[in-house]
């Protein structure tokens, strides 16, 4: 098996080298210092380093940049992201006690600083921290796993140089793993995979590795082999260094390195050969050594894995159990060894002064300042803005320019974050993630020192899929209620607030039921405002389907000046595709009605059309034609003609065979093909019309027109139908007539809710 694969690789390698004019020099000898592969001993094919070297032979910032890593930890819900981050902070000395996510001691994980996060045992907001491992500075962002908080993952991945994708060894590749992996591909983030929970019943890391290859199209291989599984999980064997690691002590902090157990030598040799073959498929230097049957040293293999990982051609797979404190230290070594430093990642900005031309940023702290505000939080001291610095240096007291708004701002306070704790610093340079207080900006704004007009490309912000009507129970708490909504809108681009002009309800929109529930709960807890939550009113409309004539005389005499106005004409539906929704045409001949009363007549019909007789919703696609009328020399007035118009409309409306229109949404679904039948059946139940069905890899893309009134709670239904793997987008298409049974039901509901005196 191995030999046949080698033959294919020889052919592939020969083709590759035949088409290139440059020859690749063999890998220089690398050395291991303190168990970590140092960048300064590695130069092959490193374009970014060559780029940095042209700036200065040995600039002041070179070593600092090489010794920095910006990483995120992302995964499906309950894969162990926050537990893993907690262990990393413990082993790097940032915290001195380990607390669990749903801690019985009432403390909870360090990175879940919000009370709601500790209660529910989920991460709601991404949290930033930093730590030091073997003299390397590691900035970490722990992100939520729930699809409702997808924007937190988006904005973290936007600013990171590398990531750890966590899988559960039992659950394997789950729905959110697929979503997160898609986001990592979108932002071109190199990543390691970590198969967690090897101590659990049913753990099978090789099954998970094969799922990652088939479902996520990962070109990956294990760099470790577990010693035992489930209750027998004792340690790990490093396939690069060929050493066995055992984790002792109450917190697994005593690391013992031993030789590979004799009973596992055959498995280790097989898995190491598989690792070398997989990496050599994407790394020419290793392929040359492998196909020449040279002995591959651990340094050669480590260098090749690093090159392939930073080029996003390979994903090394680590293993362990964060909860049982096993495998974290080798994973940290892997972050240093295989994930890129800030200057090895290509970042681009758009030059606003030359027609948004794409400019590659060098990542050089000697260059002009370019920093992106990627996350906002409201604290008691004011707005806290998280910045990723891409180029240049930022100092406390510096004046910076917000390129998006053109405003000049002074930096009053510069801090490093450790979850919800802050540490004041004087300056920060390219490659670092910091936060500033007292800077008014929006998420996605770019800051420079004024010498350049660059903006960073924006994040992908998904459209909200669900809405709720909310209002404060107490009228006195309106101010706090508005303050809360304004704050949440600034912090979270996927959270939208609007006012329904017809019902007067405040409508909040977001990514799902959990997303909106969390915000409602935060309004109650953080702002002490009790709110009532209801289903928002769907914006139905009414329209006429045939011509109906009117002839109405409004005559009122009550002593003194009376009221007199007569209007004659007809109403009819507007032609299909008409741009306007209401038209008024004056076809009067002569002066039966003085021209100064015509605007009052039009106003009366418009006002009457605001509330149709069927369910009280506005009437659209209506044309009103005035053909005749009568006026009185004394008693006619604008009010009289306005009232005549309102009553004339009500008089003839029933004869025009009115119908109710409902908003129909264009819904696009992406679901694995195996769930296509049940999803299509559910859309039919919701009175949806499927208009398109395409194939995209293993997924089916279904396009349908579905009434909005039948789409409430759909995100939850879709998740349960597709085991969380389906996703959908929804946008307004048009208003179209409801079926007769729905119309009868809506009219009866409206009449039942109508006060008796109306």
């Amino acid at each position: 098996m191995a030999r046949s694969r080698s033959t294919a690789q020889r052919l592939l390698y020969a083709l590759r080298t035949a088409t290139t004019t440059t020859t690749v020099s063999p890998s220089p000898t690398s050395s291991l210092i303190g168990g970590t592969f140092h960048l300064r001993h590695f130069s092959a094919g490193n374009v970014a380093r060559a780029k940095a070297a042209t700036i200065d032979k040995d600039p002041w910032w070179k070593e600092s940049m090489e010794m920095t890593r910006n990483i995120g930890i992302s995964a499906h819900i309950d894969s162990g992201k926050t537990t893993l981050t907690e262990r990393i902070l413990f082993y790097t000395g940032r915290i001195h006690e380990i607390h669990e996510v749903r801690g019985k001691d009432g403390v909870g994980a360090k990175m879940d600083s919000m009370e709601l996060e500790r209660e529910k045992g989920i991460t709601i907001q991404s949290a930033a921290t930093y730590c030091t491992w073997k003299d390397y500075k590691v900035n970490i962002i722990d992100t939520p796993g729930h699809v409702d908080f997808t924007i937190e993952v988006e904005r973290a991945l936007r600013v990171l140089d590398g990531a750890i994708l966590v899988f559960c060894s039992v659950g394997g590749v789950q729905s959110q793993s697929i979503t997160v992996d898609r986001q990592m591909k979108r932002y071109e983030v190199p990543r390691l995979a970590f198969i967690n929970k090897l101590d659990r019943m049913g753990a099978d890391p090789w099954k998970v590795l094969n799922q990652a290859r088939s479902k996520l199209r990962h070109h990956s291989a294990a760099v470790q082999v577990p010693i035992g599984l489930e209750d027998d999980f004792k340690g790990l064997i490093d396939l690069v260094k060929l050493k066995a690691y055992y984790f002792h002590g109450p917190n697994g902090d005593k690391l013992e390195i031993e030789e590979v157990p004799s009973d596992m030598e055959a498995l280790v040799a097989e898995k190491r050969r598989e690792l070398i073959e997989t990496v050599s498929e994407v790394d020419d230097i290793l392929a040359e050594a492998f196909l020449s049957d040279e002995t591959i040293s651990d340094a050669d293999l480590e260098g090749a894995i690093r090159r392939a990982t930073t080029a996003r051609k390979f994903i090394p797979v680590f293993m362990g159990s964060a909860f049982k404190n096993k495998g974290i230290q080798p994973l940290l070594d892997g972050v240093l060894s295989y994930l890129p430093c800030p200057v090895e990642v290509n970042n681009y900005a758009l030059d606003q002064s030359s027609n948004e031309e794409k400019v590659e940023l060098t990542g050089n702290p000697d260059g002009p300042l370019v920093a992106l505000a990627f996350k906002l939080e409201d604290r008691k001291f004011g707005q806290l803005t998280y910045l990723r610095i891409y180029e240049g240096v930022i100092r406390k007291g510096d004046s910076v320019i917000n390129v998006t708004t053109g405003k000049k701002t002074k930096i009053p306070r510069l801090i490093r974050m450790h979850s919800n704790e802050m540490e004041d610093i004087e300056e920060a340079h390219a490659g670092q993630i910091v936060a500033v207080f007292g800077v008014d900006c929006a998420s996605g704004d770019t800051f420079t020192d004024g010498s350049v007009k660059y903006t960073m490309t924006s994040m992908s912000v998904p459209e909200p899929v669900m809405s709720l009507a909310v209002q404060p129970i107490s009228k006195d708490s309106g101010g706090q209620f508005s303050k809360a909504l304004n704050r949440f809108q600034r912090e979270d681009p996927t959270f939208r607030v609007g006012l329904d002009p017809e019902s007067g309800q405040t409508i909040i929109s977001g990514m799902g039921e959990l997303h909106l529930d969390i915000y409602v709960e935060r309004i109650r807890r953080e702002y002490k405002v009790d709110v009532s939550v209801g289903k928002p009113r769907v914006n139905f409309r009414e329209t006429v389907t045939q011509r109906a004539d009117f002839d109405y005389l409004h005559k009122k005499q009550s002593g003194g000046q009376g009221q007199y106005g007569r209007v004659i004409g007809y109403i009819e539906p507007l032609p299909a595709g008409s741009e306007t929704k209401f038209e008024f045409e004056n076809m009067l001949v002569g002066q039966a009605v003085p021209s100064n009363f015509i605007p009052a007549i039009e106003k009366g019909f418009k006002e009457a059309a605001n509330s149709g007789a069927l369910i009280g919703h506005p009437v659209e696609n209506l044309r009103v034609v005035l053909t005749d009328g009568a006026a009185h020399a004394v008693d006619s007035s604008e009010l009289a003609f306005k009232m005549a118009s309102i009553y004339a409309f009500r008089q003839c409306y029933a004869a025009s065979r009115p119908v109710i229109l409902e908003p129909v949404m264009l819904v696009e679904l992406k679901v694995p093909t195996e769930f296509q039948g049940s999803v299509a059946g559910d859309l039919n139940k919701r009175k949806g019309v499927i208009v398109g069905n395409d194939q995209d890899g293993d997924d089916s893309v279904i396009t349908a027109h579905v009434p909005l009134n039948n789409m409430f709670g759909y995100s939850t239904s879709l998740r349960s139908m597709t085991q969380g793997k389906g996703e959908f987008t929804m946008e307004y298409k048009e208003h179209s007539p409801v079926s007769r049974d729905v119309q009868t039901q809506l009219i009866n509901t409206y009449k039942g809710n109508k006060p008796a005196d109306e």
Side-chain angles (χ1 to χ4, degrees), residues 364-381:
N364 173 5
D366 285 333
L369 173 70
V370 180
L372 174 71
F374 69 94
K375 178 174 158 69
L376 311 178
E377 276 180 27
D378 243 24
R379 299 282 179 111
K380 56 185 174 186
F381 304 112

Side-chain angles (χ1 to χ4, degrees), residues 20 100 106 137 182 211 218 256 262 270 340 367 386 433 440 448 494 532-533 554 680 695 758:
T20 48
E100 301 314 328
K137 290 184 179 68
R182 195 183 297 137
Q211 280 184 353
H218 278 184
E256 285 185 14
S262 56
E270 181 200 326
Y386 286 78
I433 292 171
D440 186 38
T448 68
T494 59
S532 64
V533 179
H554 176 66
Q695 207 64 24
E758 276 195 27

Side-chain angles (χ1 to χ4, degrees), residues 4-26:
S4 65
R5 282 190 65 187
S6 300
T7 309
Q9 284 171 321
R10 283 173 203 276
L11 284 167
L12 182 68
Y13 179 71
L15 279 168
R16 275 211 300 253
T17 50
T19 53
T20 48
T21 51
T22 54
T23 55
V24 183
S25 58

Side-chain angles (χ1 to χ4, degrees), residues 686-707:
R686 293 172 186 270
K687 297 194 168 72
V689 178
I690 294 170
V691 292
N693 196 340
D694 296 312
Q695 207 64 24
D696 179 10
D698 297 333
D699 295 331
S700 287
V701 180
I702 301 169
T703 314
H705 299 158
V706 194

Side-chain angles (χ1 to χ4, degrees), residues 242-451:
L242 292 175
K243 295 287 180 190
Y245 294 141
Y246 296 93
F247 308 89
H248 297 298
N251 295 316
D253 45 352
K254 289 178 182 153
L255 184 65
E256 285 185 14
I257 303 174
E258 296 178 13
E259 294 305 312
V260 175
S262 56
D263 62 334
M264 293 189 70
E265 282 175 355
L267 175 67
V268 167
E270 181 200 326
K271 293 295 180 187
R272 190 174 201 264
R273 188 172 64 250
E274 186 185 311
L275 171 65
I276 292 168
E277 285 185 4
T278 309
V279 178
S280 65
E281 285 173 15
V282 290
D283 185 80
D284 288 349
I285 298 171
L286 187 69
E288 191 173 8
F290 175 57
L291 299 173
S292 308
D293 290 327
E294 293 174 19
T295 304
I296 293 169
S297 70
D298 56 358
D300 291 336
L301 181 53
E302 193 159 4
I305 294 172
R306 179 181 180 79
R307 288 191 295 275
T309 306
T310 54
R312 302 189 314 282
K313 293 177 180 174
F314 176 72
I315 298 171
V317 179
F318 290 77
M319 301 181 187
S321 167
F323 186 67
K324 291 291 173 74
N325 310 310
K326 290 181 172 72
I328 311 304
Q329 299 95 320
L331 177 66
L332 277 166
D333 287 342
V335 167
L336 309 186
S337 301
Y338 304 134
L339 288 181
C341 70
V343 286
E344 291 179 293
V345 178
N346 293 328
N347 288 302
Y348 297 93
L350 303 173
D351 190 348
Q352 298 302 317
S353 55
S354 63
N355 204 20
E356 293 204 345
E357 189 187 329
K358 206 173 181 184
V359 182
E360 187 174 351
L361 300 175
T362 59
N364 173 5
D366 285 333
L369 173 70
V370 180
L372 174 71
F374 69 94
K375 178 174 158 69
L376 311 178
E377 276 180 27
D378 243 24
R379 299 282 179 111
K380 56 185 174 186
F381 304 112
Q383 181 175 299
L384 179 70
T385 306
Y386 286 78
L387 293 178
R388 161 71 201 258
I389 307 166
Y390 286 97
E391 204 165 295
V393 176
I394 192 166
R395 295 178 183 85
K396 182 181 170 182
D398 275 1
S399 286
V400 294
I401 288 172
N402 183 337
V403 181
T404 316
T405 63
K407 284 183 186 171
K408 194 172 187 178
T409 314
K410 197 172 181 181
I411 304 290
R413 192 177 170 196
L414 192 63
I415 51 182
R416 269 195 305 197
M417 297 301 297
H418 176 42
S419 186
N420 61 339
E421 294 171 13
M422 299 170 225
E423 179 191 321
D424 280 276
I425 53 173
E426 290 302 310
E427 66 171 41
H429 62 67
Q432 293 184 320
I433 292 171
V434 292
V436 293
F437 261 123
V439 173
D440 186 38
C441 67
S443 187
D445 285 358
T446 306
F447 290 94
T448 68
D449 55 10
S451 61

Side-chain angles (χ1 to χ4, degrees), residues 93 99 397:
H99 296 286

